[in-house]
Amino acid sequence: MISTPERETFERGRLPVAPRDKRPALAALALLLILLGALGSALLVFRSGDRESVLAARDDIAFGQVMSRDDFSTVRAAADGVALVPARLIDSYVGTRATSAIPAGALLSPKMFNVNTLVPDDGEGVGIVLDPTRRPSQVPKTGQIVRVYFVAGSGTSTESQPDNPVIVNAARVIGVGHGAGAGTTSITLLVRSDLASDVANYASSGNLAVTVLPDDTKPSIDWKTQ
């Protein structure tokens, strides 16, 4: 015998329908999430594969410093559109000069180095030998800016002294080494060509002293960076 609800459905010409099972839809959603997760993992692996061995600064690099192999370290990094120096090209950069001050750990790019001379056409490098009494207690470093003074020695005549004791107002140090005498330091300064003969003349007689100026001081002539 047909119950009342079933009889009403039968009389209206429709058959009873079983409730829909939602489990296939949930399974499809779970499968989609799994596929998306797998795609994300594959993308991370793909991007990590783009990392390559590049050169970095092992220690602080001074402006104009001549590079050696010991100045470089190798790290793994992703270029992400930035021009970096591949580690395999390290030999090509040994002997180049830094065109800017570079902090330790910085990733290196080709524009940071120059294989050509950094001395401009209207400049010259002049060497000065200084004893500890004619320089600061800390020896000036390559890249620093110094002021050059005339100082009278025991045998200096009044006629040989210049009217202005400042021989070079601001010059960049482009090299530092050891002097011939005990405790002396040899530094090479980049000066204008019209001052080079005076600097060389006073340096030969030991009548020059230097002081270190602030790092942001602009020298009268500077290195080429291009």
Side-chain angles (χ1 to χ4, degrees):
M1 185 157 181
I2 303 175
S3 62
T4 303
E6 293 176 345
R7 183 184 298 114
E8 293 177 354
T9 303
F10 180 77
E11 291 175 351
R12 294 175 183 172
R14 292 179 299 177
L15 296 175
V17 179
R20 292 185 178 179
D21 189 354
K22 297 182 179 180
R23 284 178 295 179
L26 294 176
L29 178 60
L31 179 60
L32 178 61
L33 293 176
I34 292 173
L35 292 175
L36 290 176
L39 180 61
S41 299
L43 180 60
L44 290 176
V45 172
F46 176 77
R47 289 187 62 85
S48 64
D50 290 342
R51 302 173 73 86
E52 62 176 330
S53 294
V54 297
L55 295 181
R58 185 182 301 276
D59 299 301
D60 290 342
I61 298 174
F63 180 21
Q65 179 175 327
V66 179
M67 304 302 296
S68 68
R69 290 185 68 91
D70 292 338
D71 295 320
F72 299 106
S73 64
T74 301
V75 298
R76 297 282 295 178
D80 290 335
V82 179
L84 300 177
V85 180
R88 66 180 184 277
L89 298 181
I90 183 172
D91 290 336
S92 301
Y93 286 82
V94 173
T96 61
R97 285 185 179 270
T99 59
S100 64
I102 305 170
L107 300 181
L108 304 180
S109 71
K111 292 183 178 180
M112 294 178 177
F113 304 95
N114 194 325
V115 297
N116 300 316
T117 177
L118 300 181
V119 177
D121 295 337
D122 54 348
E124 298 179 28
V126 182
I128 302 175
V129 176
L130 301 170
D131 61 43
T133 65
R134 301 191 182 191
R135 60 167 174 79
S137 58
Q138 296 293 327
V139 177
K141 299 178 181 179
T142 301
Q144 287 187 308
I145 309 299
V146 299
R147 181 165 292 157
V148 183
Y149 292 92
F150 176 90
V151 291
S154 57
T156 304
S157 64
T158 305
E159 292 79 10
S160 62
Q161 298 183 23
D163 296 333
N164 186 353
V166 178
I167 304 303
V168 181
N169 188 55
R172 189 177 294 280
V173 179
I174 61 175
V176 178
H178 296 290
T184 60
T185 301
S186 173
I187 65 174
T188 302
L189 304 179
L190 177 61
V191 300
R192 298 198 318 263
S193 294
D194 60 330
L195 296 177
S197 61
D198 287 340
V199 174
N201 181 45
Y202 293 133
S204 65
S205 58
N207 289 120
L208 294 180
V210 300
T211 59
V212 176
L213 301 177
D215 291 339
D216 59 355
T217 303
K218 184 177 180 180
S220 56
I221 190 170
D222 210 350
W223 274 328
K224 296 185 297 185
T225 58
Q226 299 294 332

